[in-house]
Amino acid sequence: MRVTIGQINTTNGDIDGNVAKILAAIERARSDASDLIVFPEVCIHGYTSQDWFQDRDIINSALEPLESLIPATEGITAVIGTIRPNEDSDGKRLFNSAAVISDGSLVGFVDKTLLPEYDVFDDPRYFEPESQPNGIVEITCRDGKKHKLGIVVCEDFWNDKTFWRERLYEKDPTAIVLERGAELIVAINASPFNKGKIALRCEMVSHRAKHERTPIVFVNLVGGNDGIIFDGASLVADEEGDIILQAPAFEEFVETVELDSRKPDARGISGDETQSVRDALVLGIRDYAAKNNFRKAVLGLSGGIDSALVAALAAEAIGPENLLCVMMPSPFSSAGSITDSEELVRNLGCEGRIEPISDAFDVLLKQLRLDKPTRGGESLAAENLQSRIRGVLLMAISNAEGRLLLSTGNKSELAVGYCTLYGDTNGGLAVLGDVLKTEVWKIARDINQTAGREIIPNAIITKKPSAELAPNQFDEDSLPAYELLDPVLRMYFEQKASPAEIIAAGHDAELVYGILNKVEHPANEFKRRQLPPTLIISKNAIGIGRRRPITHKYRRVAKRDHLSAKGL
C-alpha cells in the first residue's frame, strides 16, 4: 500500500482556504499513485476554533465542506479531520471526527472517544465522545485488494498501556481496532509542540508499531494558531517499528511512501531542542502575523537580551525589511544600550529608529509631582512611568503604520511579576512569554553559532540584566539569580511539582517558597491575565492553559506543605 502524509497548515475558520490545501494535497497524492492520504485532526475548520464550535451556523453547516472533497477522491482514499453534528437530542452538538472518503464516496465517520481536558485542551466543552469505539474501515487499494484500516483521532492513540506508566483513561481505542483486525493504524492529530514532544511521539509510534507488528500512519497538524504552535513532524512506521517516512517539523509536507519500503527516514528529527524551540517561535511569529494580516512588525529595542532575541526571531520570521526596532532611551539608559542596539539593527538589516523619552518623562514627573528615582525601588511609579511612555510610543507607531507590536518580556520575569502593566507588557504577541531567561541566552548563542558570526552582539548576551529604570539598577537587586530562579520555575510550571518536590530536588526551601508566593500572588496573576497571546513551547505554560483566579487568599506555607508530603 502506498500512503501519503498530508501535513498542512490550516487557519481557524478559513474553510475555503483549508479545503483548497486538502484538494491540492489529494491531487499530489494521486500523482504519486498513492492508495491513501491522511490529514490532521479537524483540519477543515481548524482545531483551535474554541467556542466557534458552539456557534449554531458552524454546527448546522459542518458537513458542507465535504461536498467539494468527496468528488476529488476518485481512485484514492482520504482520511480527513473534521467536525460533524450530533443528531441526538442529548449531549454536545458536535463530534470530533475522521471523515473517510474513498473513490468518490463518503464511507463514513470515526468519532473521537477520549476527549482531553488539560493544559490547552478543552474538548469536552465542544464535543460528544464516541461511546462505542470501533474505528475499523475497509478500503480497496489500486491493486484491487481490500485492507482494514484502524482509524483513531489524536488522544485515542495516546493511551497505550505498554508505553505509558500512568494513563488518563481506562479505554484504549487503538487497542480496540487492533483487536478487531486492523492491518494499518491511522492516527490523525492536532498535537501541539512543546519541548521534548517530537522525540516522544517518535518513540511512542515506533514502540506501538513494533509491539503490535502493525504499521502506523501518524499525521499531525502544523502551524501557529494564536499562541498554540503545531509542529507537524508526522511519521509513518512499518511493522518493525522503523520510521520509513518522517515529515520535517514546522513546515507543510505532502509526500508518499510504500509501506513495505524498509528504508528508514530520519529527515525531520534534528535532536537539537534549542533549534526546535527557535523554529517554533519563528513559525509562531510568522503565522500569527500572516493569519492576522500583518506584513510588518515593530518592537522596542532596549539593548538587553530579550528584545534582541525577539528582533532576531522576527527578522527571520517576516523578513528584516518588514521589521522596525525602536530605541527609546531614558535618563537612565546606558550608552551601551544604544550602541549595542544599533549594532544589532545593522547585523539584522532591519530599520532602526530612536525616539528618546527623557523630555516626556520630565514633563510627566512634574505634572504628577513624582520624584525621579535615585536608586532602584525608590519610586516605582516613576520607574514604571518610563516603561508606560515607551508602551504609548510603540502602540502609536503600531496604529499609525499598521505594524504588529511584539512584546519582549521573558517567562522568568512574567512569572514573578517583574514587568510593567501597560508598559513592556503591551503588544499583540508575547514572543518569549514561555521562554525562561536562561533559555533566552541559550537561543541567542545558538543563533550566532548557526550563523557563524555575531548576529546578536556578544556585548548584549554577556551584559548584566537591567531594566535601566533607575541608576545602577540590576535584575538581581529584585530577583534571585536566573540560574537559581529558572530551575524552580521549570519544575513548578512544566512538571507541576509541589514545593516539597522542588526542595527535594536540591533547591533551598526559603528560595522555593519565596518564588512560588511571588508567582501566585494576585497582583501577578492580574498582570499575566492581561498579557498578549503567548507563544507556547512547554507544558503548563503561562497562557490559555493556566487557569488560576486573580482574587484569592491562597499562600504557600512551608510547614503545611511538608506535613502534606509526609501524609500527615
Side-chain angles (χ1 to χ4, degrees):
M1 185 189 300
R2 290 177 65 79
V3 177
T4 303
I5 284 175
Q7 179 175 295
I8 60 174
N9 186 339
T10 63
T11 300
N12 298 330
D14 184 13
I15 296 173
D16 290 343
N18 298 339
V19 167
K21 289 189 174 190
I22 294 169
L23 290 171
I26 291 173
E27 192 56 39
R28 165 71 185 276
R30 183 184 288 106
S31 69
D32 288 347
S34 181
D35 296 295
L36 171 68
I37 181 168
V38 181
F39 293 94
E41 181 181 13
V42 195
C43 61
I44 292 176
H45 293 80
Y47 178 68
T48 56
S49 290
Q50 297 178 337
D51 280 4
W52 279 105
F53 289 140
Q54 296 178 332
D55 186 276
R56 291 186 181 183
D57 287 344
I58 300 299
I59 294 169
N60 293 336
S61 63
L63 299 181
E64 290 180 6
L66 297 180
E67 294 174 4
S68 59
L69 293 171
I70 291 171
T73 61
E74 184 177 350
I76 194 171
T77 298
V79 178
I80 305 170
T82 188
I83 55 176
R84 74 176 186 92
N86 177 9
E87 301 298 340
D88 292 341
S89 58
D90 297 328
K92 297 295 168 46
R93 305 321 307 150
L94 287 173
F95 288 103
N96 180 340
S97 301
V100 185
I101 310 171
S102 187
D103 200 20
S105 298
L106 177 62
V107 177
F109 297 94
V110 175
D111 300 324
K112 190 173 183 178
T113 301
L114 307 179
L115 302 182
E117 192 176 22
Y118 54 84
D119 202 8
V120 300
F121 300 107
D122 211 1
D123 277 22
R125 182 179 175 92
Y126 313 112
F127 303 122
E128 182 69 9
E130 170 60 68
S131 58
Q132 307 259 333
N134 178 21
I136 294 292
V137 176
E138 191 171 76
I139 67 167
T140 302
C141 293
R142 290 174 180 266
D143 59 8
K145 294 181 181 180
K146 293 185 179 297
H147 295 275
K148 284 185 175 181
L149 306 183
I151 298 173
V152 290
V153 181
C154 202
E155 195 86 346
D156 292 357
F157 184 80
W158 292 69
N159 201 38
D160 180 3
K161 65 182 179 183
T162 69
F163 183 79
W164 300 103
R165 291 183 180 179
E166 297 181 4
R167 299 193 305 157
L168 296 178
Y169 316 93
E170 183 178 349
K171 286 182 181 178
D172 181 1
T174 303
I176 293 172
V177 295
L178 285 164
E179 290 166 3
R180 296 182 180 178
E183 301 168 54
L184 170 67
I185 298 297
V186 175
I188 67 171
N189 295 263
S191 174
F193 172 78
N194 57 58
K195 292 174 287 187
K197 192 85 165 283
I198 295 176
L200 174 67
R201 290 197 211 100
C202 284
E203 184 182 358
M204 176 181 66
V205 171
S206 177
H207 167 86
R208 189 147 213 177
K210 184 176 182 180
H211 185 267
E212 303 291 351
R213 304 291 300 171
T214 305
I216 294 172
V217 179
F218 183 102
V219 175
N220 190 34
L221 187 64
V222 68
N225 285 294
D226 293 346
I228 302 175
I229 302 165
F230 299 95
D231 55 89
S234 305
L235 53 96
V236 178
D238 65 16
E239 62 184 19
E240 300 292 331
D242 291 328
I243 307 302
I244 58 172
L245 182 59
Q246 173 69 67
F250 308 109
E251 61 185 74
E252 292 188 302
F253 178 87
V254 179
E255 196 166 307
T256 303
V257 68
E258 184 72 47
L259 281 183
D260 61 0
S261 68
R262 297 290 187 266
K263 294 180 180 178
D265 179 4
R267 285 174 294 173
I269 302 300
S270 69
D272 187 334
E273 197 66 70
T274 301
Q275 181 65 53
S276 292
V277 170
R278 174 183 167 186
D279 289 344
L281 295 172
V282 168
L283 177 60
I285 296 168
R286 180 184 297 131
D287 273 7
Y288 189 81
K291 292 178 182 182
N292 287 290
N293 299 317
F294 285 100
R295 287 186 56 255
K296 301 181 292 182
V298 61
L299 60 87
L301 198 60
S302 69
I305 186 61
D306 299 321
S307 60
L309 177 58
V310 173
L313 295 170
E316 185 176 350
I318 64 172
E321 69 278 8
N322 296 313
L323 177 65
L324 169 63
C325 293
V326 183
M327 294 155 274
M328 297 168 285
S330 79
F332 309 112
S333 298
S334 63
S337 292
I338 295 299
T339 57
D340 293 342
S341 296
E342 289 175 328
E343 182 181 352
L344 174 66
V345 166
R346 288 193 297 272
N347 293 349
L348 293 176
C350 63
E351 181 184 354
R353 191 180 301 174
I354 299 179
E355 298 285 354
I357 69 166
S358 294
D359 289 346
F361 181 50
D362 288 339
V363 168
L364 288 170
L365 284 178
K366 183 176 180 181
Q367 179 176 334
L368 297 172
R369 298 180 177 84
L370 296 175
D371 293 327
K372 185 178 291 188
T374 58
R375 57 186 175 83
E378 182 182 52
S379 177
L380 290 178
E383 290 184 32
N384 292 336
L385 181 59
Q386 297 162 76
S387 182
R388 292 184 173 122
I389 294 170
R390 290 172 173 137
V392 168
L393 292 176
L394 291 171
M395 285 304 304
I397 293 170
S398 172
N399 290 161
E401 302 181 19
R403 294 179 181 271
L404 171 64
L405 174 55
L406 300 175
S407 180
T408 61
N410 66 67
K411 184 175 185 175
S412 304
E413 296 170 346
L414 299 175
V416 296
Y418 194 64
C419 55
T420 302
L421 198 57
Y422 320 123
D424 58 332
T425 58
N426 277 7
L429 183 68
V431 176
L432 303 179
D434 192 30
V435 183
L436 296 167
K437 186 76 169 190
T438 49
E439 294 172 327
V440 168
W441 280 312
K442 192 172 183 180
I443 298 168
R445 293 188 181 98
D446 181 73
I447 287 174
N448 288 351
Q449 183 176 354
T450 302
R453 63 187 181 92
E454 281 190 29
I455 299 294
I456 299 175
N458 196 52
I460 292 178
I461 296 175
T462 58
K463 73 171 56 174
K464 197 172 180 180
S466 170
E468 293 192 336
L469 299 176
N472 301 313
Q473 182 185 51
F474 297 102
D475 291 8
E476 288 185 17
D477 298 336
S478 304
L479 302 177
Y482 289 111
E483 291 77 10
L484 298 176
L485 174 64
D486 284 2
V488 174
L489 294 177
R490 185 177 290 110
M491 289 191 70
Y492 170 79
F493 281 105
E494 298 180 26
Q495 301 174 29
K496 287 192 172 181
S498 69
E501 290 169 326
I502 300 172
I503 293 165
H507 301 285
D508 177 74
E510 185 176 353
L511 174 75
V512 169
Y513 281 99
I515 291 171
L516 297 193
N517 278 318
K518 274 183 175 291
V519 172
E520 296 169 342
H521 194 282
N524 295 332
E525 291 289 355
F526 176 73
K527 288 183 181 182
R528 290 190 295 269
R529 188 72 63 88
Q530 299 182 70
L531 288 175
T534 300
L535 295 181
I536 296 172
I537 53 97
S538 69
K539 294 188 293 184
N540 311 309
I542 293 172
I544 64 170
R546 180 176 172 82
R547 300 179 187 179
R548 298 290 182 98
I550 293 172
T551 306
H552 71 89
K553 296 293 184 181
Y554 292 107
R555 295 293 183 272
R556 298 286 180 176
V557 180
K559 182 179 179 182
R560 184 180 301 158
D561 270 24
H562 287 310
L563 289 174
S564 297
K566 296 175 182 177
L568 299 176

